[in-house]
């Protein structure tokens, strides 16, 4: 069952074992999971294209220590539904160093959806130890498919 609309206006299903995490700058939804909350998933919405597909995919890949890809490769990424529209799905394994991180974390996985249009951009990103993320990949899609604008 979807939660009531939050101050952000979004409704969503919180998967079993996931919990609300403290609010964070530029995040409309901030969730954590795992025994010590080491997994995190968030939703961020930005006006306009939010930097566009390629820049964001390569920024995320860079946070995982992965090489950048071309626009052609970014456009060929698989699509998954987000707010009833096709969003590009990103899946990267590596050594995670999130924005402003002092040190990187080995054997991490990132899952993400990017939906960018002139009307705005939505980013859903999940990170955590690879095995924990593997165990929560279905929960990621439960969460992302449940996201809606609470009207």
């Amino acid at each position: 069952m979807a939660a009531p609309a939050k101050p952000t206006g979004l409704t969503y299903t919180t998967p079993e074992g996931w919990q609300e995490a403290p609010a964070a700058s530029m995040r409309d939804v901030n969730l954590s999971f795992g025994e010590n909350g080491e997994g995190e998933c968030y939703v961020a919405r930005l006006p306009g294209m939010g930097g566009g597909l390629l820049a964001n995919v390569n920024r995320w890949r860079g946070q995982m220590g992965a090489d950048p890809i071309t626009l052609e490769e970014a456009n060929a990424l698989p699509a998954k539904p987000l707010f009833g529209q096709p969003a590009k799905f990103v899946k990267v394994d590596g050594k995670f160093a999130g924005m402003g991180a002092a040190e990187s974390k080995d054997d991490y996985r990132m899952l993400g959806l990017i939906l960018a249009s002139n009307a705005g951009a939505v980013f859903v990103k999940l990170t955590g130890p690879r095995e924990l993320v593997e165990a929560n990949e279905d929960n990621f899609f439960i969460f992302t498919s449940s996201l809606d604008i609470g009207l």
Side-chain angles (χ1 to χ4, degrees):
M1 185 165 123
K6 306 293 185 203
T8 62
L10 296 176
T11 61
Y12 51 88
T13 298
T14 303
E16 187 175 333
W18 290 27
Q19 57 209 359
E20 298 285 332
S25 175
M26 297 181 65
R27 294 183 180 186
D28 293 313
V29 177
N30 201 29
L31 302 168
S32 65
F33 59 95
E35 192 173 305
N36 301 307
E38 61 273 30
E40 72 171 1
C41 184
Y42 71 82
V43 177
R45 294 180 291 175
L46 298 173
M49 295 290 284
L53 176 65
L54 184 62
N56 284 291
V57 168
N58 283 331
R59 180 173 49 79
W60 286 0
R61 289 179 61 80
Q63 290 173 353
M64 297 298 291
D67 292 333
I69 62 174
T70 66
L71 180 57
E72 186 175 87
E73 291 169 315
N75 286 332
L77 289 169
K80 302 284 185 180
L82 184 62
F83 293 108
Q85 298 178 54
K88 291 299 182 175
F89 175 59
V90 179
K91 183 178 198 174
V92 186
D93 291 339
K95 207 170 174 172
F96 178 59
M99 292 177 56
E103 54 187 61
S104 58
K105 300 172 185 175
D106 290 328
D107 199 23
Y108 259 53
R109 173 168 286 173
M110 175 188 297
L111 306 178
L113 290 176
I114 297 174
L115 179 61
S117 72
N118 290 330
V122 181
F123 305 94
V124 184
K125 181 175 159 186
L126 180 146
T127 57
R130 185 183 49 77
E131 288 183 4
L132 178 63
V133 172
E134 283 176 356
N136 278 275
E137 189 164 337
D138 286 346
N139 283 338
F140 176 73
F141 292 115
I142 289 169
F143 171 68
T144 59
S145 67
S146 76
L147 277 165
D148 200 1
I149 310 245
L151 298 176

